Amino acid sequence: MTTEQAEHHTRDQPLSILYRGSLLSCNYDCGYCPFAKAQDSRESLARDAVELQRFVDWVSQQTRPIRILFTPWGEAYIRRYYQQAMAQLGNMPQVRRVAIQTNLSLTTDAIERSYSETLALWCTYHPSQTTAEAFLEKCAFLKGRGIRFSVGMVGNRDELGQIETMRKALPDDVYLWVNANRDEQADYQAQELAMLKQIDPLFEQNLHHYPSLGKTCHTGSEVISVDGSGNVQRCHFIKQSLGNLYDGTFQPTLAPCTNQTCDCHIGYIHLPHLDLKKHYGEGLLERVPETMTPHQHT
Ligand code: SF4
Ligand code: SF4
C-alpha cells in the first residue's frame, strides 16, 4: 500500500495517541526505576507545560475520534497542568478517552480537577513507597466517583505477599494486573506463577517476548506515539520518525513491525493476531478489560 493509500485509509479512522512529554521527574523512589526521585528544573517543567498545551490545541482542531494515553517517563498526574489539560481534552466531543499511567499519589481534589466522563486511570501500586491503606483510599474514591481504572503491580518476587494482599483488599470488580519482573522471570517458581495467574487471569500474556518482525501491527496507523515536540513514532519502541503532528509532515504507515520481538503491554496489545481486543474491548488503552468477571477469591 502506498503512503497516499495509507493516509486515505487512516484519515477518518479513530486514532489512539500515546503521549510522552519532556517530564522526567517522579515523587517516588522505586529501587528499580531510573526516574526515582528524579527532578525537573522549573524551566523544564515550564517547557513541558507549553508542549502539553500545544498538544491540547492540536487535538482541539481534529475531527476524527481520538483516544489518549499519557505514558510519562516519571509521574505527570501530580502536576496541575496535566490535570487541567486532561479535563480540557476529556470535554472535547471528538475525544473518547483520556487515560494516564500514574502512581495515584495525588490528592482526590487533584483527581477531581482532571475529571471528565472520558477519564480512565492506569494506576500502579508500589508497596515500597506507600501504604496499602492510602492507596486503597484513593481506589475507593475512584470507584465512588465512577472513574474507570485498573490497578497494577510489578511481580517482584519479594512482594508476592503484598500482591496477594492487595488483590484481597480491592473490590472484586477492579482488575489487578501484574507485570512480570523481567529480571526475575526465569526464577519464578511453579507455585509463584500459579499464584500470579490466579490473581491476574491475563498474566500469562505478559510472560512472552512475542515475535513481531514482519507482523502486522496497528501502531503507525491506528495508534501512534507522540513526544513533546509533536514528533511521531509508530510506538515507543521503534525510533523511526513518521514526521511531526504540528507541521503536517506526519505520514501514517501500515508497514509491518521491524523489531524482532515485542514484550511490553502497551506495544503487543496492538498486534492483531494476538486478538487481545477480545479481552479489553473499549478498555484496551487503559488496561481495563471488559470481559473480566468479578474476581473470585480462592
Ligand atoms: S512511581 Fe513509577 S516513575 Fe516513579 S519511581 Fe516508581 S516506577 Fe519510577
Ligand atoms: S509489535 Fe511492538 S515493537 Fe512492533 S510495531 Fe507493534 S508496538 Fe512497535
Side-chain angles (χ1 to χ4, degrees):
M1 189 174 283
T2 64
T3 305
E4 201 175 302
Q5 284 170 319
E7 220 177 329
H8 179 74
H9 176 84
T10 54
R11 201 166 32 212
D12 303 317
Q13 303 290 319
L15 180 67
S16 293
I17 303 174
L18 273 58
Y19 181 92
R20 180 174 281 168
S22 308
L23 177 138
L24 296 172
S25 52
C26 185
N27 54 336
Y28 276 7
D29 194 15
C30 304
Y32 52 86
C33 177
F35 305 104
K37 288 285 181 199
Q39 300 207 349
D40 281 299
S41 65
R42 194 184 287 244
E43 291 73 29
S44 59
L45 284 178
R47 190 181 72 232
D48 187 49
V50 167
E51 290 172 348
L52 180 59
Q53 190 56 49
R54 190 172 186 200
F55 175 68
V56 171
D57 292 344
W58 179 85
V59 174
S60 73
Q61 290 154 16
Q62 308 309 305
T63 50
R64 68 198 289 190
I66 290 186
R67 292 168 181 270
I68 298 156
L69 171 63
F70 290 98
T71 57
W73 291 119
E75 176 63 31
Y77 198 23
I78 53 171
R79 304 284 169 190
R80 184 180 281 251
Y81 62 90
Y82 271 88
Q83 297 149 17
Q84 289 169 336
M86 289 167 65
Q88 238 183 305
L89 288 164
N91 284 304
M92 295 177 189
Q94 75 279 28
V95 174
R96 305 292 155 83
R97 183 76 75 234
V98 177
I100 189 165
Q101 297 177 329
T102 174
N103 61 25
L104 206 56
S105 59
L106 74 177
T107 63
T108 53
D109 283 351
I111 297 172
E112 198 62 59
R113 199 176 293 126
S114 72
Y115 182 82
S116 71
E117 284 185 3
T118 66
L119 179 64
L121 301 178
W122 166 313
C123 310
T124 307
Y125 169 52
H126 302 280
S128 68
Q129 303 298 304
T130 187
T131 63
E133 292 70 28
F135 187 85
L136 286 161
E137 255 176 50
K138 303 281 171 54
C139 293
F141 170 80
L142 298 179
K143 208 164 154 43
R145 190 70 174 87
I147 295 171
R148 292 168 66 85
F149 71 107
S150 63
V151 171
M153 294 180 70
V154 180
N156 300 326
R157 292 185 66 221
D158 61 355
E159 289 180 344
L160 296 180
Q162 280 127 313
I163 296 174
E164 203 167 27
T165 303
M166 179 52 60
R167 177 59 277 170
K168 286 189 175 138
L170 279 171
D172 288 351
D173 60 355
V174 172
Y175 175 47
L176 174 68
W177 49 263
V178 180
N179 270 354
N181 179 322
R182 297 290 178 206
D183 295 336
E184 298 181 341
Q185 193 166 337
D187 300 326
Y188 282 130
Q189 302 298 300
Q191 79 274 15
E192 293 173 340
L193 286 171
M195 183 197 118
L196 291 172
K197 286 177 189 173
Q198 206 278 321
I199 286 173
D200 174 5
L202 301 176
F203 181 63
E204 169 70 35
Q205 286 156 5
N206 193 249
L207 288 172
H208 304 285
H209 295 265
Y210 294 101
S212 56
L213 183 66
K215 296 270 195 301
T216 297
C217 177
H218 286 154
T219 62
S221 54
E222 297 177 24
V223 186
I224 56 172
S225 150
V226 174
D227 72 12
S229 305
N231 293 319
V232 183
Q233 298 175 185
R234 66 179 306 160
C235 63
H236 287 334
F237 319 108
I238 294 181
K239 302 295 171 206
Q240 187 196 349
S241 174
L242 297 182
N244 188 285
L245 272 192
Y246 308 140
D247 66 9
T249 55
F250 165 52
Q251 296 281 1
T253 178
L254 296 172
C257 175
T258 52
N259 274 9
Q260 288 293 334
T261 58
C262 191
D263 65 0
C264 186
H265 175 91
I266 56 174
Y268 64 69
I269 50 167
H270 302 299
L271 284 166
H273 72 277
L274 298 181
D275 197 18
L276 296 181
K277 201 149 193 239
K278 72 171 183 257
H279 297 297
Y280 294 96
E282 293 298 301
L284 190 70
L285 209 55
E286 64 270 20
R287 211 170 180 173
V288 179
E290 267 187 355
T291 57
M292 196 64 63
T293 50
H295 191 81
Q296 302 293 313
H297 295 301
T298 50

